[in-house]
Amino acid sequence: MHAPVVSIAYHSGFGHTAVVAEAVRAGAAEAGATVHVIKVDEIDDAQWELLDASDAIVFGSPTYMGTASGAFHVFAEATSKRWFGDAWQDKVAAGFTNSASKSGDKLHTLQFFQILAAQHGMSWVNLGLKPGWNASTASENDLNRLGVFAGAAAQTNSDEGPEAVHKADIATAEHLGRRVAEHARVVIAGRAALSSVAA
């Protein structure tokens, strides 16, 4: 049984989302996964093959004008070649996004990722965290401080650089990476068990 292979397919316009992608990578690697990080606006044939061979794919993009970036949409449309051949059927999927506003319609971007994954027949992994920072005793340093369930969400002020991505959002993204790797490991083990029973 092999270690889970997790690929992170993302776009980052100004570097903030790249910080979140790195946090997802670190979390998945910490959980024992082999991780590939792929910039979708620079993707080549070898990287498409890495995605095809992955156990899990995590989608990431900034939220621009209420949805994923144009570069990510170009990538999403290009995945139709995989859709025709069921190349990503039953893979694990998850997603993350960043925007300048606390809400910023980030949920719409995550739902776009969920629908993309569903069209490919993938199994979506949610964040699996209760919301943080929603009580008088809570803190903005809580995990899931923005109270998002569908995936990892980050907020960075529009007049600050990538170094200003909130530490709690980075920790939340690391949590997502670990969770994806763990779910992928369960899927791999389950398939191996079913295969041995069938044999």
Side-chain angles (χ1 to χ4, degrees):
M1 191 170 66
H2 66 271
V5 178
V6 176
S7 285
I8 301 165
Y10 82 99
H11 173 247
S12 183
F14 299 96
H16 306 87
T17 308
V19 172
V20 184
E22 168 55 26
V24 175
R25 184 210 64 77
E30 180 187 327
T34 299
V35 188
H36 305 294
V37 180
I38 297 168
K39 297 179 180 180
V40 298
D41 54 335
E42 301 175 5
I43 193 167
D44 58 26
D45 289 343
Q47 290 173 322
W48 279 111
E49 291 176 6
L50 286 176
L51 291 175
D52 295 344
S54 297
D55 300 300
I57 302 174
V58 185
F59 302 123
S61 169
T63 295
Y64 291 153
M65 303 306 292
T67 187
S69 66
F72 193 92
H73 275 268
V74 169
F75 162 77
E77 290 184 21
T79 69
S80 63
K81 294 179 181 177
R82 270 66 195 167
W83 178 82
F84 278 109
D86 295 327
W88 294 357
Q89 180 80 26
D90 296 326
K91 292 185 185 298
V92 171
F96 61 91
T97 187
N98 176 83
S99 72
S101 299
K102 291 290 191 295
S103 171
D105 291 319
K106 286 187 269 283
L107 178 59
H108 186 258
T109 298
L110 293 171
Q111 288 173 328
F112 169 71
F113 294 157
Q114 287 178 315
I115 292 170
L116 176 64
Q119 288 181 326
H120 282 284
M122 303 169 81
S123 298
W124 187 261
V125 174
N126 58 47
L127 188 57
L129 286 174
K130 297 290 194 296
W133 201 24
N134 66 354
S136 61
T137 56
S139 163
E140 69 171 305
N141 297 310
D142 293 342
L143 285 178
N144 196 19
R145 70 186 183 110
L146 299 177
V148 177
F149 295 92
Q155 179 272 330
T156 314
N157 293 333
S158 61
D159 59 348
E160 295 185 289
E163 70 284 352
V165 176
H166 201 287
K167 301 301 183 192
D169 297 342
I170 291 173
T172 300
E174 290 171 347
H175 169 86
L176 179 66
R178 289 191 294 271
R179 184 166 166 84
V180 168
E182 290 161 1
H183 273 259
R185 189 184 308 281
V186 168
V187 170
I188 293 166
R191 287 178 182 154
L194 287 172
S195 177
S196 66
V197 169

